[in-house]
Amino acid sequence: MSTPILEARSVSQLFPIRSRQRLFARTVMQRAVDGISVSIHPGEVVALVGESGSGKSTLGRMLLGLLPPSEGSIHFRGEPVAGLSGDAARRFRREVQVVFQDTGASLNPRHTIGQSVALPLQHNLRLPAGEVGRRVDTLLDQVGLAPARFRERLPHELSGGQRQRVGIARALASEPSVIIADEPVSALDVSVRAQVLELLDRLRRQRQLAYLFITHDLGVVRALADRVLVMQGGQLVESGEVDALLTSPQHAYTQRLLAATPVPDPARQAQRLAQALAGRPA
Amino acid sequence: MLEVRDLSVEIAAGREKLRVVEGVSFSVGRGEAVGLVGESGSGKSMSAFAILNLFPSPHARIAGGDIWLEGRNLRGLSAREWRGVRGAQIGMVFQDPSSYLDPLIPVGRQVAETLRAHGRNEGAEARVLELLDLMELPSPAEVARKYPHELSGGMRQRILIAAALALRPALLIADEPTTALDVTVQAGILDLLTRLRVELDLGILLITHDLGVVAETCQQVHVMYAGTIVEQNEVGALFRQPRHPYSQGLLGSMLGPDSRAGNLFSIPGSVPGARDMPAGCRFHPRCPIFQPGLCDTGEPALVDRTGGGSDRCRRSGEFDNAWRRTA
Ligand SMILES: Nc1ncnc2c1ncn2[C@@H]1O[C@H](COP(=O)(O)OP(=O)(O)OP(=O)(O)O)[C@@H](O)[C@H]1O
Ligand SMILES: Nc1ncnc2c1ncn2[C@@H]1O[C@H](COP(=O)(O)OP(=O)(O)O)[C@@H](O)[C@H]1O
Ligand code: SF4
Ligand SMILES: [Mg+2]
Ligand SMILES: [Mg+2]
């Protein structure tokens, strides 16, 4: 098998727990991520699911190099990230990009869309000025935003879905090989969500782009991912190939997640009602 | 119980007046959950704010229509009277529970505050505990003493529902109440709303962009597009046989068990703003069966159809799915 682009080897993250009452007591540490290993290969989509607070984003931030692991190590193309410097460190920062749920909201409100997308081209790729304009247009095209209509607009003149696509264009500008996507489509309407998922899938096929896809939407997991990892309380509780895992989930949380996912079938209402009333002994 | 007739909302933008909600009508009965669905920007929240006459922006106002609540037209009320209606007769919860809770005050006191604001000091403590218990919060007395940050997102939303229901309103307006929550927590809140609807005979107006949530929670559905209701029906009929191409497209965009990247359907284009509203049918630039001359002259009216429900499409019912042209 090829060398993974990005890899976490038994990483843990410890955070101090703050307690109001015991101001002077010794600090207790919480294992937000507890001994997790994961590898992401070129062109692969790895989904990461788990309940709120299970440590998904914390693992994502460690893989991005934003948070040094308390234990274990992160490897980029086989090399420990902690030891990278100079060109190698720059390459890591360029090739590993992130898209958040509200990536669009973090755009500079005074920069036009064109300027926002141009920034990483100038800084990360150091392209000459003439080349930048052309690349901005190609990127906007790729995310389905007509350059002539959108290049000169300001962020507030775009819908949420359009801003999210600008965020993705900006991440793509650096020509990444892997994107850590933390709930990138959960704030989007169904129709726009489908468009963005198609875009991400096309980039995976065309450029061997890989993703760590953090979400609790099992529809998204099924539509896009190859493998899925399930986290609970900082630990990996289940993992495997998507279709197999979702057909016969083993862990209680995975089963609960599957049962809780809304289905567009009003016939389920009767069952839900019985469940809601039964859940509470009178 | 609630009857909204021909409601319009206007936002003043400089010299312009933007109609963001136009001629919206719907009703909610006791013990009934009614869903308002549509893409973001379609005017769902603005319709809800109008019922409360409580807009987040000072530039927005009700421009027309009537809002009947238990036989009384709210449109004629003074600002003070309307304040009395909010909370007492209509409860409300919103998407982001954190921004409606004071981080420095224990949550129990915040629920009690709703009671006190309406002069119900007597037995407030006991009522708060009763409410928290009704919300299925474990050990209510303990939870009441906690600060918002000590509770999970789902628990915070339950606190807000408790506050909204403190004065026993007959109607609850919930605007995207589970959108910020993860799926398992969402399921718990939806079950809770269903139970409250049945046990308290509560009317619920549920605003969401998630059709799955509507399918599992509501009895009636109104689909909004660009400020108007384009289709209305009983939930089973709407999911079984949507008639408006927009409703058909929305349902088709949902990710089902067989959806895989590469074959995902989406409605091309985007929702128009109030400034560039297309003439005729508001959906026509995106519609796969748009017919020049028929669809772009005058806005189609919301027409009642035989067999129940209503929609605003001039070619209503011609195709089972306009996007695949299957008759
Ligand atoms: N900087 C920090 N300091 C202290 N604790 C933190 C910090 N960041 C995260 N945590 C804690 O670590 C745990 C894991 O958090 P994380 O954000 O990774 O969860 P998540 O799985 O991404 O949740 P969600 O689905 O809500 O986004 C939580 O208990 C959280 O409160
Ligand atoms: N403060 C505001 N100023 C100008 N336009 C606004 C404001 N708030 C909302 N709008 C516009 O009103 C329309 C309806 O918005 P909203 O009711 O929030 O939609 P929804 O809840 O369906 O997503 C949108 O076109 C939106 O852009
Ligand atoms: S009225 Fe015409 S354009 Fe509008 S939805 Fe119906 S067929 Fe499409
Ligand atoms: Mg997170
Ligand atoms: Mg809204």
Side-chain angles (χ1 to χ4, degrees), chain B residues 20-77:
Chain B
V20 295
V21 173
E22 175 94 62
V24 160
S25 303
F26 58 86
S27 57
V28 183
R30 287 211 77 119
E32 179 184 54
V34 175
L36 212 51
V37 292
E39 286 170 277
S40 108
S42 55
K44 306 181 297 292
S45 297
M46 283 294 158
S47 305
F49 293 136
I51 297 168
L52 304 160
N53 196 18
L54 182 71
F55 293 98
S57 152
H59 302 290
R61 61 174 204 102
I62 301 177
D66 294 303
I67 301 159
W68 294 88
L69 184 68
E70 303 195 298
R72 183 157 70 139
N73 191 346
L74 304 183
R75 264 317 287 292
L77 300 188

Side-chain angles (χ1 to χ4, degrees), chain B residues 24 27 50-51 53 56 72 134-135 155 171 188 194 200 208 217 259 269 287:
Chain B
V24 160
S27 57
I51 297 168
N53 196 18
R72 183 157 70 139
L134 187 66
M135 296 308 126
M155 286 168 101
L171 175 72
T194 295
L200 308 179
T208 175
T217 325
S259 308
C287 182

